[in-house]
Amino acid sequence: MAKSAAGKWVSRVGASGGGKAYKKSRPGNYYGALVVIVVLGLASTVFARYDYQHPASAASGTPPRIGTTWYAALSIEVCGKNQPFLAANPSGTGGFTVQPADVIRIKPVSAADSGDHATLSQFAAEYPGLIASSTELAIPSSTGAATAATTFRNGEACPTASKYPGQTGKISYAYWTTFGQTKPIVTTNPASIKFAQYLRVTMAFEPAGVTPAPPQQVTVNAMTLDATTPATTTTAPVLSTTTTVKGATTTTTAPTSTTTAPTTTTTAKTTTTTAG
């Protein structure tokens, strides 16, 4: 059957990929959509960079904020036995540093360890060699690395020399938020423990039914002392001497020492001597 004129025209258009007018035209919103996509992409990049460099929520949001200094007491307990204190790392670059006697200083330096991110899990992540999860507790030695003897996992047996030799242990974390609290809150998730001023917390590997003990009194005393002792600032001595030739006038100011907490200012007498 012969094709109609309209049918032939449609066939030619289809074979050629559309008419010239069609090729030259594009939908008006095509370029508009491209512009919107590019603008949104640039805006999100700029805002993300700004939020990273200026963590407003960390500086003015949920405590502890950047600039805050808190102290907490830590204990690590394995099968009824307190473990040695962690090595102090006061030169650490993160928001958590360990002071002598297992005192933790909380001083956030970024959004990563401030506000709701100031958790026991984050502390463990910042301390070299320490692993604290719901299934594993690895305690680093003074060299900064844990060994097989200081790594404990759920379902393993307590060491022979422990209080509960051979009994199956489990990782848990107990914490006390006030000094008057006698019964701890116990959890298996270290990320759920958010630091507060004077928090006491124990990382433990214990058999079922054993409640971890709070940090030792020596640690609590050290924590309280660190939190209540003001910082001390000392100004280096400055010696000033002025001499005038002809008339030989000499003025000497003795060193001035200033110390904060308590503040003491001492100024020696000024002596002026004029030659005849």
Side-chain angles (χ1 to χ4, degrees):
M1 185 174 70
K3 293 184 179 179
S4 65
K8 292 179 180 180
W9 180 82
V10 170
S11 298
R12 287 197 300 269
V13 170
S16 63
K20 294 181 179 180
Y22 177 80
K23 290 181 179 180
K24 292 181 179 178
S25 66
R26 285 187 182 275
N29 59 0
Y30 175 79
Y31 294 106
L34 288 180
V35 171
V36 170
I37 292 172
V38 171
V39 170
L40 290 177
L42 290 175
S44 62
T45 301
V46 170
F47 282 126
R49 180 179 177 81
Y50 181 84
D51 288 341
Y52 177 79
Q53 296 178 338
H54 304 82
S57 60
S60 59
T62 304
R65 306 175 183 90
I66 294 175
T68 299
T69 301
W70 286 349
Y71 292 90
L74 173 69
S75 178
I76 301 178
E77 181 180 295
V78 175
C79 297
K81 184 178 181 180
N82 287 325
Q83 300 303 293
F85 295 145
L86 294 175
N89 67 334
S91 60
T93 58
F96 299 97
T97 54
V98 174
Q99 314 280 42
D102 268 0
V103 174
I104 303 175
R105 185 185 70 181
I106 302 99
K107 190 173 182 179
V109 296
S110 70
D113 48 33
S114 63
D116 291 333
H117 299 293
T119 64
L120 185 64
S121 179
Q122 181 63 28
F123 160 71
E126 292 187 9
Y127 189 88
L130 180 62
I131 298 176
S133 71
S134 59
T135 59
E136 181 180 7
L137 177 61
I139 309 167
S141 63
S142 57
T143 61
T147 64
T150 59
T151 299
F152 308 91
R153 298 179 180 85
N154 289 342
E156 294 181 347
C158 285
T160 304
S162 69
K163 185 177 180 180
Y164 309 104
Q167 294 190 36
T168 301
K170 183 180 180 180
I171 307 299
S172 64
Y173 305 92
Y175 62 102
W176 298 255
T177 57
T178 65
F179 287 116
Q181 181 181 347
T182 56
K183 186 177 180 180
I185 301 171
V186 181
T187 179
T188 58
N189 181 15
S192 68
I193 302 177
K194 181 185 169 185
F195 278 100
Q197 177 75 303
Y198 299 130
L199 180 79
R200 293 175 293 156
V201 60
T202 298
M203 299 177 168
F205 176 75
E206 295 286 5
V210 176
T211 301
Q216 303 175 63
Q217 191 61 45
V218 63
T219 302
V220 175
N221 292 344
M223 171 187 68
T224 306
L225 182 62
D226 287 343
T228 56
T229 301
T232 300
T233 303
T234 302
T235 303
V238 177
L239 180 63
S240 176
T241 302
T242 303
T243 302
T244 303
V245 181
K246 190 179 180 181
T249 300
T250 303
T251 303
T252 303
T253 303
T256 300
S257 176
T258 303
T259 302
T260 304
T263 302
T264 303
T265 303
T266 305
T267 304
K269 294 181 179 180
T270 300
T271 303
T272 302
T273 304
T274 304

